[in-house]
Amino acid sequence: MGLIVGLFMVCSFSLLVLTAVRWWGDVIVESTFLGHHTSLVVLNLKYGFWLFVLSEAFLFVSFFWAFFNSSIGELSQQGVGHWPPLGVKSICPWKVPALNTAVLVGSGLFVNWAHGAIKAHGLIKMEELDGANVKALFGKSYSGGEYWRVHGLISLGITIFLGVFFTWLQATEYYMASYTIADSVFGSSFFILTGFHGAHVIAGTLFLIVCWVRLYLYHFSYQHHHFGMYAATIYWHFVDLVWIVVYGVVYVWGH
């Protein structure tokens, strides 16, 4: 029975990855090589992406609702209730969670830097890459457009590294936690909230990796829209904002 369940899990995950790769690939081909993404198409994509982010926000609202409903219900029992429940030792918010917060908020600053660099790179003609506006960056000289492209590659690379570092810290915190998802409603709500957020961090990191590869391959060229980087930036800031709420509610208030 366990083998069958594992097989179904592998097949489902493989189909999910294949669908994501094919969808992302089609969007890139349509925008970069076929030229199908007119300004009106890009505007509709932006509206659709904002609606997607809104749906994700309400997903987390339901999890926060469950957390508050359980915790306030326990605390309202006139001294009988206890939060976290007796026997559950919550994680200190001023150690690894505080470091995680600094890492993720810092990554938001770097992704803004990357987005600004890609926008600046997209405003410079390819003809200007061979001599004009030469500037120095890390001991090397670059022409105008290439200068901002290197800025984007560096800042986006730092953002990706911080996203991976955040995921590693979260995994370490799970390993060191004294309770599991089966330990009372506190454990269930904690791991559901932080686990879903961690999944979003992983998805956002993959999103940024795709943007880094596209920038490396000169997909964001002169006057070519950069919707992919725009969407990745919005998604990453959404992840930042959700984590700040998770940290304040689950870690600080819950502790």
Side-chain angles (χ1 to χ4, degrees):
M1 185 64 181
L3 180 62
I4 296 177
V5 172
L7 180 62
F8 272 108
M9 287 183 61
V10 171
C11 292
S12 300
F13 183 75
S14 301
L15 288 174
L16 177 64
V17 172
L18 177 63
T19 303
V21 170
R22 289 296 304 169
W23 179 82
W24 243 327
D26 287 344
V27 171
I28 293 172
V29 169
E30 291 169 0
S31 64
T32 306
F33 303 107
L34 300 181
H36 291 170
H37 285 191
T38 63
S39 58
L40 181 60
V41 172
V42 173
L43 181 63
N44 289 329
L45 286 172
K46 288 182 178 180
Y47 287 151
F49 191 79
W50 275 105
L51 290 174
F52 165 72
V53 171
L54 181 63
S55 68
E56 293 289 285
F58 277 101
L59 173 69
F60 280 98
V61 166
S62 64
F63 296 147
F64 283 115
W65 190 299
F67 183 85
F68 277 118
N69 182 71
S70 303
S71 59
I72 295 176
E74 287 289 332
L75 295 175
S76 66
Q77 294 183 28
Q78 301 297 326
V80 178
H82 190 277
W83 191 259
L86 293 175
V88 175
K89 184 180 179 181
S90 61
I91 296 173
C92 178
W94 314 118
K95 296 181 179 180
V96 175
L99 176 59
N100 257 345
T101 304
V103 168
L104 206 55
V105 172
S107 70
L109 299 178
F110 282 104
V111 80
N112 272 346
W113 176 14
H115 189 207
I118 289 174
K119 287 196 295 185
H121 169 255
L123 295 175
I124 300 175
K125 295 181 180 179
M126 296 300 292
E127 291 79 4
E128 298 178 12
L129 300 180
D130 56 2
N133 299 325
V134 176
K135 301 178 181 179
L137 181 65
F138 299 110
K140 296 183 179 181
S141 296
Y142 300 93
S143 53
E146 192 68 8
Y147 172 81
W148 289 112
R149 175 175 171 271
V150 173
H151 262 282
L153 289 172
I154 293 173
S155 53
L156 200 53
I158 294 174
T159 307
I160 293 169
F161 169 77
L162 292 176
V164 173
F165 185 47
F166 176 91
T167 304
W168 179 79
L169 287 174
Q170 193 73 54
T172 303
E173 180 184 274
Y174 282 178
Y175 180 77
M176 299 296 293
S178 61
Y179 53 90
T180 68
I181 194 173
D183 290 326
S184 78
V185 69
F186 180 87
S188 299
S189 56
F190 172 85
F191 281 102
I192 286 292
L193 263 170
T194 57
F196 265 90
H197 178 268
H200 282 72
V201 171
I202 294 174
T205 303
L206 294 175
F207 205 167
L208 293 174
I209 290 174
V210 171
C211 291
W212 191 94
V213 173
R214 294 191 66 192
L215 179 60
Y216 181 79
L217 297 176
Y218 291 95
H219 285 187
F220 304 121
S221 57
Y222 174 60
Q223 288 187 343
H224 189 278
H225 69 83
H226 43 84
F227 169 74
M229 188 61 209
Y230 169 85
T233 303
I234 296 299
Y235 190 81
W236 198 254
H237 284 313
F238 167 73
V239 169
D240 286 345
L241 181 60
V242 171
W243 175 257
I244 291 174
V245 179
V246 169
Y247 177 71
V249 171
V250 178
Y251 286 94
V252 178
W253 186 81
H255 181 69

